[in-house]
Amino acid sequence: RRNEDDGDDDDLLRRILAAAAARGIPLSLLMAQANQYSEEDDEDVEYPFASPPRSLKDVADFIRSENCKKILVLAGAGMSVASGIPDFRSSNGLYATLDAGKLTCDPMQQEKIRNDPTYCLDQHLFLENPLPCLEVNREFILGVRDRKWKATLAHRFFELLNTQFQGKLCRLYTQNIDGLEDQCVGLPHSQRIAVHGSMDEAECAVCGYKTNFHDFCTLVERQIKDITGRDPNAPSESTPIRCASCGALAVKPSIVLFRSSLPKVFFENVPRDLKNVDLLIVIGTSLDVAPANTLVFRVPKSSMRLLINRERVGWQVGLDVDEEDRDFFGQGNCENVCLELMEHLGWLDKLRPLLDQHELPDASAALLRERFQQPPGSKARITKARIVKPKPRI
């Protein structure tokens, strides 16, 4: 006989499977992860480090050690803040300031966008009418092409991590769509997975055909109107961009639109990348968005986990700033914390060419100059330390 609670369990399972299907998460991935939890829960943990990290210097010492063989990174918007890239969700961001009346769409679509500005980046709307998405993103697309924004010190930290300790950096999973990682020549494209796609690539939403990005930008410049009014050479009316392969009027930047699946490359690489990770670095993210946030609790229980963020986040995925354990909270903005890590690792002089060649955002360059002006041999600022202990998974 079934228990009274069985119905609730069945309903929960149906909800989980429906959510997974909607996000394009393979059922095999869910099953493999469930098996992993059941097999690992009772195992003793042998850490690759002698004691829990209590400072950024401890983390840097572990990175430098032979016991740290494999590093995984999960990055969010905080890593790009210093570049000056406009954000979408803040009080003065794109969604809050968007004037739906300037977009090329019918009254019903316009009303939906007024009620929910994220609808302009909806997959279903794009297939009906691609123009609102292209008009909203026109300035962003062309700004990426023109390198209006530059890779930050945080980006350069991971570039140096890859070049100075070859083979340690397994992968950088970024939730950002700005493509700034591609400005770092020491960080190959193959080591970056853009979980939500990237603005520096283009593709057809119907057939998936990849379009040359610079050719795409030329068409955006010629065919998509500027709703900001800042480009006097922009056309007065928008016309959609046709796919050279299938002919559909559906070419867009390679970003993941709402109600569409994440890139297959994410699901194909995650299971392999998670194995034997010694250090997970989580930087500049609220850890609110699945499935990217699941990396936090899916790394081995022996992994050191470094959280770089202004606020404590991640309690819902097992991070609780409280007691001593394997985790460390590097509290502060990403630029300051990454600069301190690079100082502990002895990499400051490797950043000088970036100043000379004007390859850093103004805010990052100012921070680095200030550090160079400090007396030689002065100690690195010690970031406020909080130990992060994972909550048990429910």
Side-chain angles (χ1 to χ4, degrees):
R1 183 178 177 181
R2 292 169 59 108
N3 294 325
E4 292 181 1
D5 291 338
D6 285 349
D8 292 337
D9 291 342
D10 289 346
D11 181 62
L12 177 60
L13 179 59
R14 282 194 293 270
R15 288 172 180 267
I16 291 173
L17 294 177
R23 298 291 291 174
I25 302 174
L27 179 60
S28 58
L29 183 63
L30 294 178
M31 297 302 295
Q33 195 59 38
N35 290 335
Q36 176 185 331
Y37 293 156
S38 62
E39 291 170 1
E40 289 184 354
D41 281 345
D42 297 328
E43 292 181 1
D44 292 331
V45 179
E46 183 176 347
Y47 296 108
F49 42 91
S51 59
R54 300 178 183 276
S55 68
L56 284 178
K57 184 179 184 304
D58 290 346
V59 176
D61 288 343
F62 178 59
I63 290 174
R64 195 185 289 113
S65 74
E66 293 183 358
N67 289 337
C68 183
K69 298 181 175 68
K70 187 175 182 180
I71 300 173
L72 199 65
V73 179
L74 174 61
M79 190 165 81
S80 295
V81 164
S83 71
I85 286 181
D87 70 292
F88 282 66
R89 297 184 180 276
S90 69
S91 58
N92 62 344
L94 185 144
Y95 292 146
T97 59
L98 179 62
D99 183 354
K102 293 182 178 180
L103 300 176
T104 305
C105 53
D106 64 38
M108 184 175 295
Q109 294 168 346
Q110 200 171 90
E111 185 61 24
K112 285 185 177 181
I113 293 171
R114 282 199 182 95
N115 294 332
D116 178 12
T118 67
Y119 186 63
C120 65
L121 301 180
D122 182 272
Q123 171 83 348
H124 294 189
L125 173 61
F126 185 86
L127 294 175
E128 291 177 8
N129 175 10
L131 296 178
C133 173
L134 295 175
E135 290 169 351
V136 164
N137 284 299
R138 183 184 195 273
E139 190 172 33
F140 200 163
I141 294 167
L142 300 181
V144 169
R145 178 198 64 180
D146 299 336
R147 296 189 66 164
K148 182 177 179 180
W149 305 286
K150 298 175 182 178
T152 66
L153 287 171
H155 291 94
R156 300 300 179 175
F157 166 64
F158 294 113
E159 180 183 28
L160 284 171
L161 188 61
N162 191 54
T163 58
Q164 300 304 303
F165 296 118
Q166 291 188 9
K168 286 196 177 189
L169 179 60
C170 168
R171 198 91 60 191
L172 189 156
Y173 286 86
T174 178
Q175 299 169 88
N176 301 330
I177 61 173
D178 50 48
L180 290 180
E181 299 82 10
D182 288 337
Q183 294 184 15
C184 302
V185 295
L187 192 61
H189 189 80
S190 61
Q191 283 186 278
R192 181 267 275 175
I193 289 180
V195 181
H196 300 143
S198 182
M199 195 67 78
D200 65 348
E201 300 174 6
E203 65 186 10
C204 175
V206 174
C207 72
Y209 178 76
K210 299 289 185 182
T211 298
N212 177 276
F213 179 66
H214 288 280
D215 292 344
F216 169 67
C217 289
T218 299
L219 293 175
V220 168
E221 207 164 26
R222 293 174 180 172
Q223 296 181 211
I224 305 302
K225 70 179 184 181
D226 177 19
I227 60 173
T228 70
R230 286 190 279 264
D231 183 357
N233 298 316
S236 58
E237 295 183 356
S238 298
T239 54
I241 299 172
R242 188 177 300 277
C243 175
S245 179
C246 73
L249 298 173
V251 180
K252 66 176 185 66
S254 297
I255 57 175
V256 176
L257 299 177
F258 292 105
R259 293 201 289 174
S260 64
S261 300
L262 296 188
K264 289 183 180 180
V265 66
F266 174 79
F267 300 109
E268 292 169 350
N269 283 275
V270 163
R272 178 173 59 253
D273 289 347
L274 286 170
K275 291 181 180 179
N276 303 317
V277 168
D278 297 306
L279 172 63
L280 173 70
I281 301 176
V282 179
I283 178 169
T285 171
S286 65
L287 289 176
D288 285 336
V289 180
N293 62 357
T294 65
L295 297 184
V296 173
F297 61 78
R298 291 169 63 191
V299 294
K301 292 183 178 180
S302 60
S303 304
M304 181 185 290
R305 298 185 298 188
L306 169 62
L307 171 65
I308 300 174
N309 208 53
R310 287 184 174 179
E311 300 85 23
R312 59 182 73 186
V313 296
W315 63 268
Q316 76 278 22
V317 288
L319 289 176
D320 183 18
V321 179
D322 188 11
E323 300 178 18
E324 296 183 3
D325 207 315
R326 57 173 174 156
D327 301 337
F328 181 74
F329 180 23
Q331 186 175 21
N333 69 61
C334 298
E335 295 295 88
N336 288 84
V337 177
C338 286
L339 182 59
E340 183 177 343
L341 274 170
M342 288 188 281
E343 184 167 9
H344 287 308
L345 289 163
W347 294 345
L348 287 191
D349 283 341
K350 299 184 185 301
L351 299 172
R352 288 186 185 276
L354 297 174
L355 283 178
D356 298 337
Q357 298 163 15
H358 306 288
E359 288 293 327
L360 288 172
D362 291 343
S364 304
L367 179 64
L368 186 56
R369 287 193 189 95
E370 180 183 351
R371 182 65 194 96
F372 282 140
Q373 288 169 1
Q374 294 181 13
S378 61
K379 293 183 179 180
R381 176 186 60 83
I382 301 301
T383 296
K384 189 175 182 180
R386 282 195 175 94
I387 304 298
V388 183
K389 184 173 183 178
K391 282 185 176 180
R393 290 191 296 271
I394 299 175

